[in-house]
Amino acid sequence: GMVCHTKVRSTWYTCKGGTDMLQVAITRQTVRYFLLALNFIVPFVMVWVGHALKKHPVTDMDSQNGYCTPTSQKSQEHWDYAQSIAPDIFLGLGKVLGIAEFFLNIVLFVWKVPVNVCVTAGITVGILVLVLAFYRTEKKIKHKFEKG
């Protein structure tokens, strides 16, 4: 049969079956790297959406695709302007966020901050920048049409 020895604290597993020796080492560092990768979901999505909107601009306001908010749907002119500025705002802030998350992760990692705190901080920063992208876009749309 198969005999397994497990030591949970340092997370190593050794299983021996016949002449085969299987040893799987899942270190805390590996798990930590994986969890820190979660911090890059928001910037990745922002860049991906910005790129998709730039490459395939949405002209039909009724499609519910594109940058679709009440402000952008006030008129076709609002809609067209929103579709022209939103991709660059989301691309730009997404790239800045990705770089910021990279350095934030390094700093928190070097300081040995617990991984749950790192992920919470990273996701919080990500959500704030995402909200900022919507805020900037809305502000630009309102500014253009209040003036003109």
Side-chain angles (χ1 to χ4, degrees), residues 7-64:
K7 182 179 176 189
V8 178
R9 280 276 179 216
S10 65
T11 324
W12 59 263
Y13 308 95
T14 305
C15 295
K16 188 175 182 181
T19 57
D20 297 310
M21 178 71 117
L22 173 68
Q23 188 169 355
V24 181
I26 304 170
T27 64
R28 287 187 176 150
Q29 291 297 98
T30 307
V31 172
R32 202 173 153 108
Y33 289 137
F34 174 76
L35 290 173
L36 289 177
L38 295 175
N39 288 344
F40 294 97
I41 291 173
V42 176
F44 173 79
V45 169
M46 286 179 72
V47 169
W48 181 69
V49 167
H51 178 72
L53 290 176
K54 195 173 183 89
K55 194 170 182 176
H56 307 285
V58 180
T59 54
D60 181 13
M61 197 164 48
D62 297 324
S63 70
Q64 299 296 310

Side-chain angles (χ1 to χ4, degrees), residues 71 74 78 81 138-148:
T71 306
K74 282 186 177 178
H78 281 73
Y81 182 66
E138 293 293 301
K139 191 174 175 184
K140 276 190 162 192
I141 297 167
K142 288 175 182 172
H143 183 72
K144 177 180 172 69
F145 291 99
E146 281 173 11
K147 273 191 150 184

Side-chain angles (χ1 to χ4, degrees), residues 24-123:
V24 181
I26 304 170
T27 64
R28 287 187 176 150
Q29 291 297 98
T30 307
V31 172
R32 202 173 153 108
Y33 289 137
F34 174 76
L35 290 173
L36 289 177
L38 295 175
N39 288 344
F40 294 97
I41 291 173
V42 176
F44 173 79
V45 169
M46 286 179 72
V47 169
W48 181 69
V49 167
H51 178 72
L53 290 176
K54 195 173 183 89
K55 194 170 182 176
H56 307 285
V58 180
T59 54
D60 181 13
M61 197 164 48
D62 297 324
S63 70
Q64 299 296 310
N65 293 321
Y67 182 83
C68 187
T69 64
T71 306
S72 70
Q73 292 181 306
K74 282 186 177 178
S75 72
Q76 187 65 43
E77 203 177 1
H78 281 73
W79 179 262
D80 292 340
Y81 182 66
Q83 304 316 308
S84 72
I85 63 167
D88 288 331
I89 291 172
F90 278 77
L91 270 169
L93 286 176
K95 288 175 183 176
V96 168
L97 175 61
I99 293 165
E101 291 281 15
F102 178 77
F103 287 110
L104 176 70
N105 280 347
I106 288 175
V107 169
L108 295 176
F109 195 80
V110 168
W111 287 349
K112 298 197 186 311
V113 174
V115 74
N116 61 327
V117 175
C118 295
V119 173
T120 303
I123 290 174

